[in-house]
Amino acid sequence: MNAHAHHAATPKPLLRHRKNVELLRPDQLEALRQAFAQLNKISSNVVTDNRGYQYLAGLHGLPGQYCQHGDPPGSDPLFLPWHRAYLYVFELALRDQAADASLAWWDWTSPASHANGIPQAFDTAQVNGQPNPLAKAPVQPAARQSGRPTETFRSPRAPSSLPSADRIRQILSLRSFSDFTAQLEDVHNRVHGWVGGTMGIIPWAAYDPIFWAHHTNIDRLWRIWQLRHPQRFSDRFLNTALPPFPLTVEQTLNIKPLGYDYASSTTHVPGTHA
């Protein structure tokens, strides 16, 4: 990840706001699509190019296997910091391809999600006669088992079984970080399972474009929790590195130096359309 290492030390970057995918303007959605399409073009030439989609998706599960999940009691609670670093590096890669692109979150508690499931931006198979780069993506050969899967697929369950706004409000009210991260990770796991297909299997989950919108929402909820419960992360973990990224836990705790925030994160509760 040396190509992006210089970004971590950039002083006072322009603050951008990640938005709800349901509320993206047409030009914002088009920038996101273009960035994903360009990342895939890089990968179609050289899968190992660290600017490309396949390389970045492969860091999570196969073949990189760097992701942090299910921390046992007493271990480093790295699920949220590691994925925040991952989103940060991925968003830089998106922006290298489309300067106006930003990650958008999928609020699975929203009325639209509970009515329709997968957001339309990620569900539509074609846009202007071309394949929608947010609908699916290839899976690189190094990540396949017995030659499969060659591309991502989904088998979503009933929209009404997505997490409820009340459940998220309950989790956000938890005072202990260890309780909060454990319960949020459980909801996170359930959404992966709800989408099904490749999203439901860690080795291939990050190849599905909706992975990024799902995890952006998880990161947003952590941001809201941090604002409501201002307290230090356990000091003994602050200097823990988050490989393969050039960041430590401490460098992920405040998102503003990373150059982003969330639209209306301080004034709205999850489940609204902010």
Side-chain angles (χ1 to χ4, degrees), residues 15-33:
L15 192 66
R16 297 171 184 260
H17 284 83
R18 296 175 179 173
K19 297 181 176 68
N20 185 331
V21 69
E22 295 172 22
L23 297 181
L24 292 181
R25 298 192 311 263
D27 61 306
Q28 292 169 335
L29 179 54
E30 181 58 24
L32 188 62
R33 285 198 182 110

Side-chain angles (χ1 to χ4, degrees), residues 60-193:
H60 185 266
L62 291 174
Q65 296 185 306
Y66 285 105
C67 71
Q68 295 286 338
H69 288 281
D71 307 308
S75 69
D76 297 11
L78 300 183
F79 168 67
L80 290 171
W82 188 90
H83 284 86
R84 177 168 284 177
Y86 192 27
L87 293 175
Y88 168 69
V89 167
F90 185 76
E91 190 169 50
L92 292 178
L94 287 176
R95 206 162 288 144
D96 284 345
Q97 303 307 316
D100 293 333
S102 290
L103 286 169
W105 80 75
W106 169 27
D107 179 6
W108 7 261
T109 72
S110 74
S113 291
H114 278 246
N116 306 314
I118 304 286
Q120 185 177 0
F122 288 85
D123 197 38
T124 305
Q126 290 199 320
V127 180
N128 299 324
Q130 299 294 320
N132 176 12
L134 302 182
K136 63 181 180 180
V139 175
Q140 61 168 302
R144 299 173 193 163
Q145 296 174 349
S146 303
R148 298 192 61 81
T150 57
E151 65 179 15
T152 62
F153 66 97
R154 302 168 187 155
S155 52
R157 299 175 187 170
S160 60
S161 63
L162 281 165
S164 70
D166 283 344
R167 175 76 179 110
I168 298 305
R169 276 191 283 269
Q170 177 191 10
I171 292 172
L172 287 170
S173 72
L174 296 169
R175 291 180 169 274
S176 155
F177 177 78
S178 59
D179 290 344
F180 168 75
T181 189
Q183 293 198 33
L184 186 61
E185 186 172 358
D186 180 62
V187 167
H188 147 273
N189 293 344
R190 290 170 186 270
V191 174
H192 273 281

